[in-house]
Amino acid sequence: GAEGGAEGGAAEGAEVAAADQSPTGTGASSSPIGGSSIGPGAATAATAVFIALVVGVETSFGAFLVSYCLGVKGEVGEKEADLATTAFWTTFTLGRFAAAGLVARVRPAATLLGHCVCVCVALAVVLAGGGSRVSVWFGSVLFGAGMSSVFAGAVAHLHELLGPGGMSGGAGGWISAGASSGTLVMLATSQALGRPDAVMATLLGLSVCAIGTMAAVWTRVGWRRAFGSTGRDERMCRR
């Protein structure tokens, strides 16, 4: 779990660096979402908070899944829980390759919402399953798939909010700080280890908070503007 978290953090840092150097980010439209009442500072801060929450949930799930399975004394033992954790990280990694094509074709807001919903559903399944084999395996794979595109989608979304100039070095620094702060979320989650069910409940609550953070941004921007098609999207459809 710790090794996977470190690899994920390194990959996220690389994505931020690549995004800073690209005028169009990850392939999403570089046109700003005009007419919104949210400024670049607020958009950057909200995105940094969102990333801190999702990175914390991501690393905590990988680190504590085995402890959760052993604590609830369900159908999954330690060795099988290790395999389920591996399945999560494998799905997460494969999903990141697919994310490159997805973010280029789907609006970032839609990508974020869809994947965050998958994350919440996965955590709810694991929590409701009480350690059953089906819930642990299904939840682990779905969680990995859902979490895979969240970071890239958040960076692309911020590019869209900030307009043609994209992310500045300062904005990239705030995003990197948000990713690093995920460790603090992981430490807070570890306080619930004495009550196994509380671990997944805490991660689910933090995931809902992450969606709420983006929902606040979309409310300021306008939901139709955030999720509607851009001129670039319309040109692609005509082709």
Side-chain angles (χ1 to χ4, degrees):
E3 292 177 357
E7 291 173 359
E12 286 154 2
E15 287 175 12
V16 170
D20 285 340
Q21 296 171 1
S22 171
T24 58
T26 57
S29 172
S30 60
S31 300
I33 302 178
S36 68
S37 58
I38 189 169
T44 301
T47 304
V49 171
F50 172 82
I51 287 177
L53 291 171
V54 296
V55 169
V57 171
E58 167 200 317
T59 54
S60 297
F61 185 89
F64 301 139
L65 180 61
V66 174
S67 298
Y68 167 78
C69 292
L70 296 179
V72 297
K73 297 180 173 61
E75 299 174 353
V76 178
E78 183 174 1
K79 291 184 178 179
E80 189 173 356
D82 281 330
L83 292 175
T85 302
T86 301
F88 152 59
W89 285 118
T90 300
T91 308
F92 175 83
T93 303
L94 294 176
R96 285 207 157 183
F97 287 104
L102 178 66
V103 174
R105 292 170 174 78
V106 181
R107 290 294 296 275
T111 299
L112 286 178
L113 182 59
H115 281 75
C116 285
V117 168
C118 286
V119 167
C120 290
V121 170
L123 291 170
V125 167
V126 175
L127 179 62
S132 70
R133 181 168 285 107
V134 173
S135 67
V136 170
W137 280 97
F138 177 79
S140 297
V141 172
L142 181 61
F143 184 87
M147 190 60 77
S148 62
S149 300
V150 171
F151 188 91
V155 173
H157 185 256
L158 183 58
H159 268 282
E160 188 176 71
L161 289 174
L162 296 181
M167 282 175 27
S168 64
W174 279 106
I175 297 307
S176 296
S180 300
S181 299
T183 305
L184 300 177
V185 176
M186 180 177 173
L187 290 174
T189 305
S190 69
Q191 303 303 310
L193 285 177
R195 295 171 296 147
D197 285 343
V199 173
M200 292 301 161
T202 299
L203 296 183
L204 179 57
L206 292 172
S207 299
V208 172
C209 289
I211 295 178
T213 301
M214 282 292 107
V217 172
W218 298 328
T219 300
R220 294 287 298 274
V221 168
W223 288 75
R224 181 172 295 181
R225 285 193 178 97
F227 288 87
S229 63
T230 62
R232 177 180 180 275
D233 295 329
E234 293 167 357
R235 288 195 299 272
M236 289 178 65
C237 290
R238 286 198 295 269
R239 291 177 185 175

